[in-house]
């Protein structure tokens, strides 16, 4: 009771007396309703399958009839097998919001039986079912990668799957977990929430993505639990050597993946649940937000603030105060009298405008969107069919039932005015969904009804997909009204497959050094669950940020996929210039570096679009055999060429960096460094330690104040002498022609040659024509002045050597560039012209 009063008081102070009052009334109503519709508690004895009775092959695998129930294994691909269990023995065509690909090319498989078991074999992943217990194990190229312990079990209100958890397996996945990279030792509820002022280790978080990844010494294993209903995943918390998945209802269905590293597993998982389409290039620039820029004048001031200080920025955000009484799709006309003019002016100066959308639709006879929604029956309802009402920012609200295709179409239809005005993207907030309440029970009652594509479900099954489906509806709106643009769609909540619809951020963090540190692992975790386009609120959302923390965060954030500054109501200003000098200059440098690296980053997005590979990666993915890298959470790689080792401690101006094996270069000094050792690197406030892998080719663009400000006249390539291959990607950066092949891949291979020489091969594939002709190549790591530099066998027209860098300019693409060392006895050595040093 005391807690409730405290919570009520806090709400009243922070959110206003009306929301506090509505929440109190909701609490009373919900308690009553829940009493009348009690949630089903699991009951009865856990059943197991018992012995296998019969084995029947089907086109794509096997069906096993067991003593109690049946198993159906389906070969999805040579590294992925789907397993289903039905106590009734009847298997219907499965439905899953998460799964994007249901028809797979046929994959050869065989099966064998003996007295002990049944074995289903593909070329790589095999599965063995024990005849006596029906327990399943998987092996990858004959190495055991998963073994059921308690196996499959069920009772009323519960289905379970348990597998052994080897002691030396790295436990990863389960989306944006906040404890660090590893998820061992906890039970994770499968339930999206909005954890107010979350701290390290808070569970559950905004996402529910039941993809578990295990990394053994010599294998990688993945298990995607394809069930949206409420449940939990226990990673060795209850029993240290067991991993258990549990759902309250629905079919027991999962996909097992095997491989030698996480890359092929994420590749297959994102083929199954869908890949992130290419975002518009501007979305990789810097975004500036706050809750809220309250008036049009303030937004203009912010826009001008960037331009007059020459701090690059691509997007400005309108948080909830731009709306009329928090009604989604409306404008507060007092503070934003002419939104079309505002947005047009912002567009003219190179800014994209992103507007927030909340799912709660105010109950209001004068709010057309609510009235149409009621008429068209698009809201979540009570079992009686009456629309559910609960408090949200707008007050008592209806909640669109995004599991209803009609509701998604109705939602998408509301986007027309936003498109007309010129808003460039939207931001889906509160879509866990959060229903304001006194206390912590901030959700709809379990028993409310959802359409679920006509199959009907309660909130127990629909909750975890709600946020993703809101993002899906928003994407439909963006695609419909901006037909030739790439949607920019941001979501706070997610479920498996949400990467098809939206990017995301890590929610309401706080301006502390530990949250800075969490930005790394949480962003990595999202990418390991398919949601690669993610980043933190830079500077922290809650509380005031101090200058030093702010610039360190900006430096780190510039190396994460989604790069946005944001902060909460009633916190101090948090723009790049809010802290005065020298912080403003340092902030500018950090953002400028981001803009220079855009072609590299963009290539990583393209690789993610093609193969689901994460954009930022834990260090151990660089070299899974190097034990020193396994526990590292304070450094990461951006793609595989750049190693980022940010400063994460107040006052620190140096830190230790564990370098993976191989050769590396210091980004700032260009000095080569031997890998496989731990070094100390100095990092005064204006420096983010970055290392480049030898053999890498990093493309750079000139700094622009926003993407597309000027035509690109020249591509700059920084080449780091060594052995390596790099794949880069180019397309128009906007529009949909890339989906029909208008792009190109650039393949660079760097090969050291005898006597200190170097060969750079450049292969191009694809039809996209970039705007630039000229290519400026800077080669680092050449110690002695070369004898000659050739392009496609001819002396390069323009090159020079200074401070260990060879610089060559080519007036167009080339296939082979060579740096010939002095010792090399060239036949035409005297005829080669060398320009004077610049
Ligand atoms: O209850 O729209 O996470 O980014 O600024 C808070 C106001 C609602 C939560 C989001 C945050 C946003 C804020 N929203």
């Amino acid at each position: 009771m005391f807690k409730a009063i405290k919570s009520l008081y806090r709400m009243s102070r922070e959110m206003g007396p009306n929301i506090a009052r509505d929440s109190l009334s909701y609490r009373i109503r919900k308690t009553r309703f829940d009493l009348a519709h009690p949630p089903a508690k699991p009951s009865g004895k856990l059943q197991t399958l018992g012995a296998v009775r019969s084995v029947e092959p089907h086109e794509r695998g096997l069906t096993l009839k067991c003593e109690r129930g049946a198993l159906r294994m389906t070969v999805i691909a040579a590294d992925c097998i789907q397993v289903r269990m039905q106590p009734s023995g009847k298997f219907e065509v499965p439905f899953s919001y998460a799964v994007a690909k249901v028809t797979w090319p046929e994959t050869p498989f065989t099966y064998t039986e003996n007295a002990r078991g049944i074995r289903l074999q593909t070329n790589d992943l095999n599965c063995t079912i024990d005849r006596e217990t029906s327990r399943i194990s998987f092996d990858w190229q004959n190495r055991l990668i998963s073994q059921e312990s308690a196996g499959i079990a069920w009772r009323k209100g519960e289905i379970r799957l348990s597998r052994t958890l080897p002691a030396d397996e790295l436990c990863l996945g389960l989306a944006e977990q906040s404890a660090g990279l590893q998820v061992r030792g906890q039970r994770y509820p499968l339930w999206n929430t909005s954890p107010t002022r979350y701290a390290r280790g808070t569970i559950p978080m905004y996402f529910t993505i039941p993809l578990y990844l295990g990394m053994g010494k010599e294998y990688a294993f993945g298990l995607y639990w394809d069930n949206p209903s409420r449940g939990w995943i226990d990673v060795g918390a209850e029993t240290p050597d067991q991993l258990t998945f549990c759902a309250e209802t629905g079919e027991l269905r999962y996909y097992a993946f095997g491989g030698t590293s996480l890359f092929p597993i994420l590749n297959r998982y994102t083929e199954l649940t869908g890949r992130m389409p290419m975002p518009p290039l501007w979305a990789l620039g810097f975004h500036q937000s706050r809750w809220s820029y309250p008036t049009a004048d303030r937004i203009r001031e912010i826009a001008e603030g960037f331009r007059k200080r020459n701090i690059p920025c691509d997007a400005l955000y309108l948080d909830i105060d731009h709306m009329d009484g928090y009604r989604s799709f409306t404008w507060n006309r007092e503070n934003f009298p002419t939104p079309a003019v505002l947005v047009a002016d912002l567009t003219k100066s190179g800014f994209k405008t992103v507007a927030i959308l909340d799912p709660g639709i105010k109950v209001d006879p004068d709010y057309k969107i609510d009235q149409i929604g009621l008429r068209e029956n698009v809201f979540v309802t009570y079992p009686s069919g009456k629309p559910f009402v609960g408090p949200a920012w707008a007050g008592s609200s209806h909640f669109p039932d995004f599991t209803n295709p009609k509701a998604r179409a109705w939602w998408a239809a509301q986007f027309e005015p936003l498109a007309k005005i010129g808003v460039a993207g939207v931001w889906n907030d509160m879509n866990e969904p959060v229903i304001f309440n006194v206390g912590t029970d901030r959700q709809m009652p379990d028993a409310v009804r959802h359409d679920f594509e006509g199959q009907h479900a309660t909130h127990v099954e629909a909750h975890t997909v709600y946020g993703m489906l809101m993002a899906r509806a928003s994407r439909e709106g963006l695609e419909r009204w901006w037909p030739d643009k790439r949607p920019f769609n941001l979501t706070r909540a997610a479920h498996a497959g949400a990467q098809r619809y939206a990017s995301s951020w890590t929610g309401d963090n706080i301006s502390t050094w530990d949250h800075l540190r969490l930005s790394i692992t949480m962003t990595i975790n999202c990418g390991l669950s398919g949601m690669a386009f993610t980043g933190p609120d830079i500077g922290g959302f809650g509380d005031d940020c101090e200058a030093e923390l702010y610039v360190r965060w900006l430096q780190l954030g510039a190396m994460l996929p989604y790069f946005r500054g944001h902060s909460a109501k009633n916190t101090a200003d948090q723009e790049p210039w809010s802290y005065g000098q020298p912080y403003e200059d340092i902030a500018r440098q950090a953002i400028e570096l981001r803009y220079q690296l855009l072609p590299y980053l963009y290539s990583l997005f393209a690789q993610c679009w093609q193969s689901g590979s994460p954009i930022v990666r834990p260090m151990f993915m660089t070299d899974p055999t190097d034990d020193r890298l396994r526990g590292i959470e304070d450094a990461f790689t951006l793609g595989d060429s750049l190693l980022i080792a940010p400063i994460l401690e107040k006052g620190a101006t140096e830190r230790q960096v564990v370098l993976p094996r191989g050769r590396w270069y210091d980004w700032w000094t260009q000095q080569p460094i031997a890998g496989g050792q731990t070094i100390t690197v100095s990092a005064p406030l204006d420096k983010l330690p970055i290392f480049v892998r030898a053999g890498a080719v990093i493309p750079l663009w000139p700094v622009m104040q926003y993407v597309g400000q000027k035509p690109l006249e020249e591509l700059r390539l920084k080449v780091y002498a060594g052995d390596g291959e790099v794949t880069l990607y180019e397309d128009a950066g906007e529009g949909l022609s890339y989906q029909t092949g208008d792009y190109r891949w650039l393949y660079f291979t760097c090969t050291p040659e005898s006597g200190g020489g170097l060969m750079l091969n450049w292969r191009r594939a694809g039809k996209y024509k970039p705007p630039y002709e000229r290519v400026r190549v800077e080669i680092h790591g050449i110690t002695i002045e070369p004898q000659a530099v050739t392009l496609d066998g001819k002396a390069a027209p323009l090159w020079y050597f200074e401070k260990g860098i060879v610089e060559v300019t080519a007036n167009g693409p080339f296939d082979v560039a060579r740096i010939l060392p002095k010792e090399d006895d060239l036949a035409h050595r005297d005829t080669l012209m060398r320009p004077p040093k610049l």
Side-chain angles (χ1 to χ4, degrees):
M1 193 58 190
F2 175 69
K3 258 204 189 144
I5 290 169
K6 226 174 97 184
S7 149
L8 193 61
Y9 171 74
R10 229 191 56 209
M11 284 188 91
S12 175
R13 220 188 40 205
E14 285 171 12
M15 301 156 95
N18 289 345
I19 286 179
R21 188 203 55 219
D22 286 352
S23 301
L24 182 61
S25 114
Y26 178 63
R27 174 151 169 160
I28 295 163
R29 272 188 296 132
K30 180 169 190 295
T31 309
R32 246 194 249 143
F33 179 85
D34 284 344
L35 280 173
H37 303 83
K41 285 256 157 58
S43 60
K45 222 183 108 222
L46 281 169
Q47 305 271 310
T48 52
L49 283 164
V52 176
R53 283 275 165 79
S54 72
V55 182
E56 263 169 58
H58 60 84
E59 258 174 58
R60 316 292 301 249
L62 301 175
T63 305
L64 276 62
K65 297 253 150 58
C66 310
E67 273 173 83
R68 296 168 290 274
L71 282 172
R72 187 178 164 95
M73 346 285 296
T74 302
V75 174
I76 300 293
D79 54 7
C80 177
I81 293 174
Q82 180 204 54
V83 178
R84 301 170 71 189
M85 190 282 295
Q86 278 289 354
S88 70
K90 276 204 215 76
F91 295 95
E92 322 245 309
V93 177
F95 168 74
S96 166
Y97 278 113
V99 169
K101 181 164 176 167
V102 286
T103 320
W104 292 77
E106 236 164 86
T107 306
F109 70 91
T110 56
Y111 81 99
T112 51
E113 289 187 60
N114 63 23
R116 286 183 41 215
I118 301 101
R119 191 166 157 78
L120 174 67
Q121 264 177 272
T122 74
N123 278 341
D124 297 315
L125 183 65
N126 313 312
C127 143
T128 308
I129 303 102
D130 181 78
R131 208 178 272 284
E132 239 168 71
T133 60
S134 297
R135 285 186 189 162
I136 304 170
S137 60
F138 290 94
D139 58 277
W140 167 258
Q141 298 171 349
N142 299 321
R143 184 177 297 130
L144 186 66
I145 61 171
S146 182
Q147 198 170 14
E148 281 184 6
S149 43
I152 290 173
W154 70 94
R155 55 181 171 165
K156 196 161 169 283
E158 193 174 71
I159 50 171
R160 286 185 183 213
L161 166 74
S162 296
R163 137 190 202 272
T164 57
L165 196 57
D168 60 356
E169 186 167 293
L170 271 188
C171 307
L172 306 156
L174 313 184
E176 61 181 344
Q177 297 306 337
S178 62
L181 284 180
Q182 294 216 49
V183 295
R184 189 187 282 271
Q186 269 293 351
R187 176 174 291 195
Y188 299 87
L190 298 173
W191 201 249
N192 312 51
T193 54
S194 164
T196 315
R197 291 185 70 88
Y198 71 83
R200 178 178 289 272
T202 295
I203 43 175
M205 298 292 290
Y206 305 93
F207 290 11
T208 296
I209 303 184
L211 171 68
Y212 170 82
L213 299 172
M215 270 285 297
K217 286 257 160 187
E218 292 175 312
Y219 68 85
F221 169 75
L223 196 152
Y224 169 56
W225 178 249
D226 189 23
N227 184 321
S229 55
R230 182 166 51 209
W232 43 261
I233 301 179
D234 188 302
V235 192
E238 191 179 276
T239 315
D241 61 355
Q242 271 199 50
L243 169 68
T244 304
F245 296 77
C246 175
E248 287 183 21
T249 176
E251 181 178 81
L252 188 145
R253 183 168 66 240
Y254 69 90
Y255 293 81
F257 305 87
T260 44
S261 88
L262 295 179
F263 288 107
I265 291 185
L266 286 168
N267 190 347
R268 193 64 75 195
Y269 167 75
T270 54
E271 185 179 1
L272 179 70
T273 60
R275 304 239 167 84
M276 170 187 73
M278 286 303 282
L281 190 43
W282 64 262
L284 275 61
F286 183 59
H287 301 225
Q288 180 65 53
S289 179
R290 91 159 280 124
W291 174 21
S292 299
Y293 293 125
T295 62
D297 287 346
R298 182 64 181 145
I299 277 276
R300 287 172 187 279
E301 218 174 271
I302 297 293
E304 215 193 289
F306 279 99
R307 295 297 179 248
K308 79 173 177 222
R309 294 179 178 85
N310 279 313
I311 298 177
C313 181
D314 261 276
L316 296 176
Y317 280 58
L318 298 172
D319 206 327
I320 47 176
D321 297 290
H322 83 277
M323 300 187 268
D324 172 20
Y326 305 133
R327 290 168 186 83
S328 285
F329 306 104
T330 67
W331 293 83
N332 173 332
R333 290 286 170 169
E334 212 171 288
N335 296 332
F336 294 84
T338 49
V341 179
L342 170 69
V343 176
D345 288 347
L346 292 176
T347 308
K348 250 182 255 149
S349 41
F351 292 100
K352 307 286 191 244
T353 309
V354 178
I356 199 168
L357 293 172
D358 278 6
I361 297 292
K362 190 178 181 65
V363 176
D364 173 0
D366 297 326
Y367 180 23
K368 243 179 63 197
I369 293 175
D370 182 50
Q371 293 310 305
I372 297 171
L374 278 175
R375 217 172 44 229
E376 296 192 3
N377 247 319
V378 300
F379 298 125
V380 174
T381 65
Y382 291 108
S384 67
K386 258 183 46 193
F388 163 77
V389 174
W393 277 109
S396 284
S397 299
H398 292 129
F399 289 82
D401 179 7
F402 292 110
T403 69
N404 181 347
K406 220 171 77 185
R408 293 197 297 271
W410 157 85
W411 181 262
Q414 310 311 325
F415 279 59
E416 186 180 8
L418 288 177
K420 284 233 166 88
I421 284 176
V423 166
V426 298
W427 166 19
N428 302 268
D429 193 19
M430 307 297 277
N431 53 344
E432 292 70 28
V434 184
I435 313 297
F436 288 149
N437 198 348
V438 178
T440 50
D441 179 23
R442 305 201 303 162
Q443 65 188 51
M444 293 181 191
D446 286 358
V448 297
R449 295 297 142 110
H450 294 263
D451 178 74
F452 224 74
E453 308 308 295
Q455 300 173 49
H456 306 289
T458 69
H459 200 57
V460 174
E461 285 164 281
H463 180 83
T464 70
V465 296
Y466 188 91
M468 166 167 91
L469 295 177
M470 176 180 176
R472 174 170 163 184
S474 291
R475 191 171 182 98
E476 278 170 25
L478 294 165
E479 282 171 352
R480 174 161 165 201
W481 301 107
W482 288 255
D484 356 294
K485 292 271 163 65
R486 299 182 193 176
F488 179 73
N489 193 26
L490 183 70
T491 182
R492 194 172 70 176
H495 182 75
Q499 67 272 10
R500 317 202 283 272
Y501 309 119
S503 55
S504 64
W505 85 106
T506 59
D508 298 349
N509 59 2
I510 303 172
S511 305
T512 66
W513 289 87
D514 196 46
H515 271 276
L516 169 67
R517 202 176 273 270
L518 275 180
S519 299
I520 299 176
T521 51
M522 288 180 71
T523 306
I524 289 176
N525 288 350
C526 291
L528 292 181
S529 291
M531 290 293 283
F533 191 5
T534 303
D537 281 351
I538 287 163
F541 177 75
D543 297 350
D544 294 348
C545 189
E546 53 173 315
E548 183 191 353
L549 177 58
Y550 178 77
V551 295
R552 289 304 193 190
W553 216 321
L554 205 59
Q555 288 166 341
L556 164 56
M559 301 294 131
L560 298 176
Y562 178 52
F563 186 32
R564 180 182 74 156
H566 182 53
S567 83
K569 220 177 188 74
N570 301 320
T571 60
D573 283 359
Q574 212 166 284
E575 286 79 40
W577 55 86
S578 303
Y579 304 92
Q581 293 296 9
Y583 306 100
E584 184 182 317
D585 284 346
I586 298 172
R588 181 187 301 102
Q589 282 164 32
I591 298 175
E592 284 183 350
L593 178 60
R594 166 76 171 209
Y595 276 75
Q596 290 184 287
L597 282 171
L598 281 178
Y600 176 69
L601 256 164
Y602 195 57
S603 300
L604 299 177
F605 274 75
Q607 283 159 25
C608 185
W609 160 54
Q610 290 288 300
S611 64
S613 52
I615 295 164
V616 290
R617 303 168 188 171
M619 293 283 289
F620 65 78
M621 274 178 94
T622 294
D623 181 0
T625 65
D626 186 345
D627 283 344
R628 301 170 315 141
L629 306 179
R630 287 203 151 203
I632 296 179
E633 299 194 337
D634 63 356
F636 60 95
T637 68
L638 178 56
D640 59 11
S641 299
L642 296 181
L643 191 169
I644 315 295
I647 295 294
L648 304 167
E649 268 163 46
K650 187 175 167 62
T653 51
E654 58 171 47
R655 60 160 286 171
Q656 299 219 308
V657 184
V658 180
L659 289 176
R661 290 186 282 240
R663 225 153 57 93
W664 295 85
Y665 286 84
D666 183 308
W667 172 265
W668 302 106
T669 65
Q670 328 291 350
Q671 285 311 304
I673 311 166
Q677 56 167 338
T678 301
I679 60 166
T680 301
V681 54
S682 96
L685 194 57
D686 61 354
K687 184 177 146 195
L688 169 72
I690 302 176
F691 301 88
V692 195
R693 184 190 297 283
V697 175
I698 309 290
L700 294 177
W701 283 345
V703 171
M704 295 196 197
Q705 296 308 301
Y706 54 91
V707 167
Q709 184 193 15
K710 292 178 219 147
L712 190 70
E713 286 170 354
E714 174 185 276
L715 180 68
R716 197 172 145 207
L717 297 172
K718 274 160 101 56
V719 178
Y720 292 85
D723 227 330
E725 274 177 23
V726 167
T727 305
L728 303 175
Y729 171 89
E730 296 177 328
D731 70 14
E734 179 56 285
L736 305 178
S737 64
Y738 80 101
Q739 288 175 351
T740 46
D742 191 12
Y743 55 74
R744 78 174 187 169
W745 293 97
L746 313 180
Y747 305 95
F748 290 96
T749 313
C750 210
T751 320
E753 293 193 315
S754 63
L758 189 78
M759 179 161 76
L760 178 68
N761 283 79
W762 178 6
R763 213 156 51 72
R764 295 162 293 279
K767 63 181 190 195
Y768 173 69
K769 293 227 161 28
Y772 64 87
E773 285 282 331
R774 204 166 59 237
V775 184
R776 186 150 57 94
V777 188
E778 286 167 28
I779 301 144
H780 301 277
I782 302 294
T783 43
I784 334 166
E785 174 151 16
Q787 172 67 40
V789 176
T790 65
L791 291 172
D792 294 334
K794 291 198 209 83
L798 184 65
W799 69 274
Y800 60 91
F801 176 76
E802 204 178 295
K803 291 191 192 127
I805 302 170
V806 177
E807 191 168 322
V808 200
T809 303
N811 289 323
F814 55 86
D815 299 326
V816 187
R818 290 181 80 180
I819 303 206
L820 305 175
K822 267 260 158 67
E823 294 86 331
D824 228 12
D825 195 20
L826 264 183
H828 311 294
R829 118 189 251 153
D830 294 336
T831 63
L832 286 176
M833 292 282 291
R834 185 155 4 113
K837 280 187 188 164
L838 299 180

